[in-house]
Amino acid sequence: EVQLVESGGGLVQPGGSLRLSCAASGFTFSSYWMHWVRQAPGKGLEWVSRINGDGSSTTYADSVKGRFTISRDNAKNTLYLQMNSLRAEDTAVYYCATSIVGADGHWGQGTLVTVSS
Amino acid sequence: QSALTQPASVSGSPGQSITISCTGTSSDVGGYNYVSWYQQHPDKAPKLMIYDVSNRPSGVSNRFSGSKSGNTASLTISGLQAEDEADYYCSSYTSSSTPYVFGTGTKVTVL
């Protein structure tokens, strides 16, 4: 069974940093592109970033480019999102997912990031 | 990249059929057969219901079906049940620098 478990969310001040993790199991992690998607409170879904299987290719939404960094450790079956220079508008539940438009669309339960002073 | 346009709400009685539209452009919905639909219950993670416009993952009820015409994709729920009450989001691959876009979301209410 595919499992994705996010962690690392919490309360952070504007301008601060946070690193999210997503522990994966039940599938061959290194074979999959992985994604981060976020959802602000009461709002819709927003795609944030993706990384290919070996970590050599990354893509970001314009809203986070230059501030967020996606990475992965295939030996630990773990996906990361390093978030710097956080803003109030980054407040959201962050989900990791195996696919956005493909057949293997598995999502974690999400971790809440709150940016506030 | 603007979000795909969905109606804010759709409602129906148990047993009825409803259809949710998802309108984009030729750069996303109209240009690729990479449209997915997600169901999200309150405080839960999104669940994949349809991928590649009209395909159902294993375990998803055949009451859910998808289609596309031009720049608009649609999700139809037939034989509406109380458990179908949720938010639904479409998503599409895009040719822009942001490779994926979601719809604005539709709240389905079972009367």
Side-chain angles (χ1 to χ4, degrees):
Chain A
E1 178 192 3
V2 172
Q3 282 203 337
L4 298 169
V5 180
E6 300 94 337
S7 60
L11 175 63
V12 61
Q13 292 188 338
S17 298
L18 212 55
R19 188 177 85 155
L20 306 183
S21 300
C22 169
S25 61
F27 64 104
T28 306
F29 181 68
S30 60
S31 297
Y32 281 76
W33 284 79
M34 293 294 297
H35 304 258
W36 287 100
V37 177
R38 68 184 180 182
Q39 186 171 34
K43 303 296 184 181
L45 300 169
E46 179 189 14
W47 177 84
V48 172
S49 182
R50 70 175 178 180
I51 186 169
N52 70 343
D54 65 8
S56 61
S57 177
T58 60
T59 316
Y60 300 91
D62 290 342
S63 57
V64 306
K65 201 171 295 183
R67 301 187 299 121
F68 289 12
T69 302
I70 190 172
S71 62
R72 64 193 299 160
D73 185 336
N74 287 342
K76 295 182 178 179
N77 285 354
T78 302
L79 174 72
Y80 302 101
L81 186 67
Q82 177 66 43
M83 304 185 296
N84 299 330
S85 302
L86 282 162
R87 307 165 179 167
E89 55 263 37
D90 296 318
T91 294
V93 174
Y94 286 73
Y95 297 99
C96 63
T98 56
S99 175
I100 302 300
V101 295
D104 300 322
H106 301 281
W107 294 48
Q109 85 290 348
T111 187
L112 176 62
V113 172
T114 302
V115 184
S116 175
S117 54
Chain B
Q1 177 68 46
S2 299
L4 306 174
T5 301
Q6 298 180 232
S9 62
V10 174
S11 62
S13 298
Q16 287 186 329
S17 293
I18 61 169
T19 296
I20 303 167
S21 61
C22 169
T23 301
T25 69
S26 58
S27 296
D28 38 63
V29 174
Y32 306 94
N33 287 325
Y34 297 133
V35 176
S36 289
W37 288 92
Y38 290 88
Q39 176 192 67
Q40 186 179 34
H41 287 108
D43 298 321
K44 298 295 186 182
K47 175 188 175 184
L48 181 67
M49 305 302 283
I50 295 287
Y51 67 94
D52 292 352
V53 176
S54 60
N55 294 299
R56 273 188 313 275
S58 62
V60 172
S61 171
N62 59 8
R63 297 186 298 104
F64 292 84
S65 62
S67 63
K68 190 184 84 167
S69 178
N71 296 337
T72 298
S74 299
L75 173 72
T76 297
I77 308 174
S78 58
L80 200 61
Q81 299 179 1
E83 68 207 48
D84 301 331
E85 189 162 288
D87 293 327
Y88 291 82
Y89 293 91
C90 59
S91 67
S92 174
Y93 180 79
T94 87
S95 59
S96 75
S97 59
T98 299
Y100 306 99
V101 61
F102 286 95
T104 50
T106 298
K107 180 174 182 59
V108 168
T109 301
V110 181
L111 301 172

